[in-house]
Amino acid sequence: MDDYSEYSAPELVRMLGGRFKDYRLRANMTQKEVAEMAGLSVLTVYRFENGSVTNIALSSFLLLLKAVGCINDLSELMPEQPESPYLFREKKKIQRIRHKKV
């Protein structure tokens, strides 16, 4: 299992861009085809894949995943968690966490 906790956000975006390029190639799609399907510019796809962009909107990333047919892999990224007894108080599910003021 890889440990990504030491990477900065821009480094992680660059890694995702490189990985996305592999997905696109395996889908036998050009950057132009992906851009058209996602409703993004070819330049956006190019910059994401080659690592020259260090941030990308989550919505754009999701559109790119849809374009190459990988949107259903989101369940691997953030799998559903089993219900936790810590999130229930007096038979009521907690909606948010609040810390007591000191």
Side-chain angles (χ1 to χ4, degrees):
M1 179 186 254
D2 294 329
D3 182 9
Y4 297 105
S5 62
E6 297 299 317
Y7 290 95
S8 68
E11 290 172 321
L12 291 169
V13 171
R14 278 192 286 275
M15 288 171 53
L16 282 173
R19 193 170 290 177
F20 176 80
K21 181 178 182 178
D22 185 50
Y23 276 71
R24 177 182 60 78
L25 294 172
R26 288 172 188 252
N28 198 30
M29 296 178 75
T30 65
Q31 289 178 339
K32 183 178 180 182
E33 290 170 332
V34 169
E36 288 173 354
M37 287 187 71
L40 301 170
S41 72
V42 176
L43 188 59
T44 297
V45 176
Y46 170 78
R47 286 180 176 165
F48 178 52
E49 287 185 353
N50 79 8
S52 63
V53 68
T54 56
N55 63 357
I56 186 168
L58 178 59
S59 57
S60 296
F61 181 64
L62 295 174
L63 290 169
L64 290 170
L65 288 180
K66 278 185 174 185
V68 296
C70 294
I71 195 68
N72 291 330
D73 294 340
L74 284 179
S75 60
E76 292 182 39
L77 177 63
M78 291 193 76
E80 293 259 350
Q81 297 290 306
E83 286 197 12
S84 169
Y86 298 108
L87 296 179
F88 288 90
R89 291 194 185 131
E90 300 171 15
K91 298 183 183 183
K92 189 175 179 183
K93 188 172 181 178
I94 295 174
Q95 297 297 313
R96 66 183 121 183
I97 304 294
R98 291 187 181 160
H99 296 286
K100 295 180 181 178
K101 294 182 181 179
V102 181

